[in-house]
Amino acid sequence: MKKNVGNRNKNSDVLILKGMLNNLKDGLNNFELLLKLQFKILVCVMRCERKIKFLKKNNAHLRSVLKKSRLPKEKSLAVKEKIKYNSEVITAEKFKIYTYKMFGDAVAFLYIDKYTIKQLYYNVHNYNVKETSGDLSGKSGLREEWECVKLACDNKVPALLHDITMSIRHGDVSLLGKDEPFIIEMKSSSNTNKRVERQKSNLEKLGSFIAKDEAENFRGIPLLIRKNLLTEEESYSQVLNECLNDCRSKGMALVEAEKGFYICAVREGNMASMLENIDFDEKKEVFPVFLNQYKNNGEWLPLTPFTLLINDPYDLHDFIEGELTIACFLMLDEYKKIAIELGYELVFVSNDEYSILLKRIGEDIIFGVSWQMLLRVPLEMMSMSWLIKESINIYSNSLENSTHNDELNQGQGNTKNSLFEKYKNLFSY
């Protein structure tokens, strides 16, 4: 018999949104549902914004009272407690906005390739994250943007409002077809200035790169080339959701998705007792990732959102609320063995740029895999063994071409002078 877990409030916005999202996933040509889901996200976000605005105004008034009035000690403490409480509610409402917009991200990931979405997250001139737009409430042009989305969907063309997402930072609306998204920048007037011209130029550069998969002098790189994966990505998202189903009935669950890749889910009890089933030898390297931490800190972006990763609405609700904890443990020594079998030595590093460094045994060239790509393993349930093999295959196939390959960054040409000199002491062969 299953335990009665989580908040069973049927009117919960998260439960409603997840139900709609699951239905949309099963029928991407359901344009009416696509519109309703986006409108529901829009309503939820704007409701939170109004509440935040009210609370900020209330706090400003209370601070003014404290400053200008000589209140008795007890009343002064009560006012300060009210300010503190309001501030906590504001933080909670901001987190709700983030959560709702992660449903917008889920819509984007249903229609757009995840590696394309990554390109829409960063600035055009560098790999700094592009700033988000302001509040939706009172935004000039929002009505026109929504009318554009409605018009497209009415004509059987899926369309997405960017303001309800976290990861899409360029343009206002995307038309979503079989190929790459067609990005539209809406303007409420015909006026032009340097800012408008700059936005237009940046969008053209970005659109050209997405369409052609290459660009010169893009994001500070002389020649940036995107390449297709050589083999189909292997994912353990189904294994994760089976683990969550097991956890729902038992209170906690542990599964080994592949040799060296453990997924742990806990609702009741101590995770430490569950981890006794894993061989944690002091001499072994272990990479632990607590998914709740990345969710809580907003560090999940721009990867496949947890709103899409977790299938069951109640599991998702409880994960968001912190009633369900999910963690992954990568036994790094197992993956070093895989690399050795393929003729490569693998080391794990901790810096902002690389997570994995690989060197063909007997050679002096080192190539790396970015931290963001490694995080796709625990946060998207990507197979770690597949990632290592794919990285090596891409490197082997690109030896004849001196190109830069984004996340699987081979950095050809100057590798021996930079990565080799910097990291050679980490390698044994």
Side-chain angles (χ1 to χ4, degrees):
M1 183 177 178
K2 291 187 176 181
K3 296 179 184 293
N4 184 24
V5 296
N7 184 345
R8 288 301 189 262
N9 179 5
K10 298 294 185 182
N11 294 321
S12 166
D13 289 321
V14 168
L15 299 181
I16 294 171
L17 287 168
K18 183 57 181 175
M20 296 172 77
L21 180 65
N22 284 348
N23 290 335
L24 181 63
K25 186 178 179 181
D26 293 335
L28 295 181
N29 289 327
N30 188 337
F31 301 104
E32 181 181 0
L33 179 58
L34 175 59
L35 271 178
K36 286 183 177 179
L37 175 53
Q38 292 187 73
F39 187 74
K40 174 67 175 175
I41 297 170
L42 196 61
V43 169
C44 289
V45 170
M46 293 178 73
R47 184 179 65 231
C48 291
E49 288 177 351
R50 287 194 297 270
K51 188 170 183 178
I52 290 171
K53 186 177 181 180
F54 170 80
L55 290 171
K56 283 184 174 180
K57 186 176 180 179
N58 185 238
N59 269 2
H61 169 70
L62 292 174
R63 290 191 179 99
S64 177
V65 169
L66 282 176
K67 185 177 180 180
K68 296 178 180 179
S69 304
R70 302 185 105 186
L71 299 175
K73 185 177 180 180
E74 287 186 7
K75 196 164 186 179
S76 177
L77 288 174
V79 171
K80 289 178 180 178
E81 282 297 315
K82 179 62 175 176
I83 292 174
K84 181 182 177 182
Y85 172 78
N86 284 349
S87 299
E88 291 172 351
V89 175
I90 288 171
T91 299
E93 292 299 311
K94 287 181 177 179
F95 183 76
K96 283 184 181 180
I97 291 175
Y98 158 72
T99 299
Y100 295 141
K101 288 192 174 185
M102 290 298 271
F103 280 101
D105 266 22
V107 175
F109 276 80
L110 286 178
Y111 292 90
I112 306 174
D113 180 81
K114 65 183 182 182
Y115 295 107
T116 293
I117 291 177
K118 173 194 168 180
Q119 304 303 327
L120 301 174
Y121 183 60
Y122 298 102
N123 287 322
V124 169
H125 305 295
N126 52 43
Y127 271 105
N128 294 332
V129 177
K130 190 177 186 298
E131 291 184 358
T132 58
S133 57
D135 287 354
L136 294 176
S137 306
K139 177 189 174 184
S140 96
L142 179 60
R143 184 181 296 275
E144 289 78 9
E145 293 168 18
W146 181 246
E147 288 301 321
C148 178
V149 172
K150 285 179 60 180
L151 180 62
C153 289
D154 288 344
N155 285 277
K156 310 301 181 186
V157 177
L160 175 66
L161 182 69
H162 292 183
D163 279 338
I164 63 167
T165 73
M166 288 296 298
S167 292
I168 301 183
R169 305 290 176 93
H170 294 269
D172 299 311
V173 174
S174 281
L175 303 182
L176 313 169
K178 294 182 179 179
D179 299 317
E180 300 290 5
F182 182 79
I183 302 172
I184 300 173
E185 181 86 38
M186 304 287 291
K187 291 300 169 189
S188 55
S189 71
S190 59
N191 296 335
T192 59
N193 52 45
K194 289 184 178 180
R195 179 175 175 274
V196 172
E197 291 299 321
R198 186 169 61 251
Q199 285 180 329
K200 181 180 177 183
S201 174
N202 289 343
L203 203 56
E204 288 175 352
K205 290 178 182 178
L206 183 61
S208 176
F209 173 64
I210 290 173
K212 298 177 181 178
D213 288 328
E214 66 176 72
E216 294 182 355
N217 300 316
F218 188 71
R219 289 180 174 146
I221 299 171
L223 178 61
L224 182 62
I225 298 176
R226 285 203 306 170
K227 289 186 176 182
N228 292 328
L229 298 174
L230 298 177
T231 58
E232 185 177 353
E233 179 184 320
E234 296 176 15
S235 170
Y236 295 118
S237 59
Q238 183 176 343
V239 175
L240 165 69
N241 283 286
E242 289 171 356
C243 179
L244 298 182
N245 289 340
D246 200 24
C247 178
R248 205 177 311 130
S249 60
K250 298 178 180 178
M252 60 176 67
L254 176 69
V255 63
E256 188 174 18
E258 64 180 20
K259 191 170 179 59
F261 183 2
Y262 291 91
I263 303 170
C264 183
V266 176
R267 287 180 173 277
E268 299 176 359
N270 192 335
M271 182 177 288
S273 62
M274 177 65 67
L275 299 183
E276 291 176 359
N277 297 311
I278 303 177
D279 181 20
F280 282 124
D281 189 303
E282 291 183 0
K283 296 180 180 180
K284 292 182 178 179
E285 284 188 83
V286 181
F287 178 45
V289 176
F290 290 86
L291 277 64
N292 298 64
Q293 175 185 335
Y294 283 85
K295 177 258 298 179
N296 292 341
N297 296 340
E299 298 172 340
W300 205 288
L301 307 170
L303 309 186
T304 302
F306 50 83
T307 47
L308 193 58
L309 179 68
I310 299 174
N311 289 340
D312 184 83
Y314 293 110
D315 285 340
L316 176 61
H317 175 278
D318 294 347
F319 174 69
I320 291 171
E321 294 297 319
E323 298 169 12
L324 168 64
T325 300
I326 306 173
C328 293
F329 299 90
L330 298 173
M331 314 301 285
L332 304 184
D333 290 335
E334 295 296 334
Y335 298 106
K336 291 181 179 182
K337 293 176 186 177
I338 292 175
I340 289 290
E341 290 172 359
L342 296 172
Y344 287 78
E345 186 177 2
L346 182 154
V347 298
F348 289 87
V349 291
S350 299
N351 63 36
D352 293 336
E353 190 172 2
Y354 297 106
S355 59
I356 298 172
L357 294 174
L358 288 150
K359 185 180 81 69
R360 183 179 285 177
I361 295 173
E363 295 187 0
D364 292 343
I365 295 179
I366 295 172
F367 61 99
V369 177
S370 73
W371 263 107
Q372 186 178 97
M373 197 67 181
L374 176 61
L375 284 175
R376 292 186 187 275
V377 174
L379 300 186
E380 293 185 347
M381 296 295 139
M382 175 188 284
S383 165
M384 181 68 166
S385 59
W386 173 86
L387 174 59
I388 292 170
K389 293 171 185 177
E390 180 72 8
S391 302
I392 289 173
N393 287 338
I394 288 178
Y395 167 72
S396 299
N397 279 270
S398 64
L399 283 176
E400 298 178 0
N401 302 309
S402 180
T403 61
H404 176 98
N405 182 37
D406 211 2
E407 288 190 39
L408 300 177
N409 177 14
Q410 275 67 57
Q412 303 296 315
N414 65 352
T415 309
K416 183 173 180 178
N417 295 330
S418 57
L419 290 185
F420 181 73
E421 292 302 323
K422 185 175 181 180
Y423 295 110
K424 63 182 180 181
N425 292 333
L426 299 177
F427 292 85
S428 303
Y429 302 98

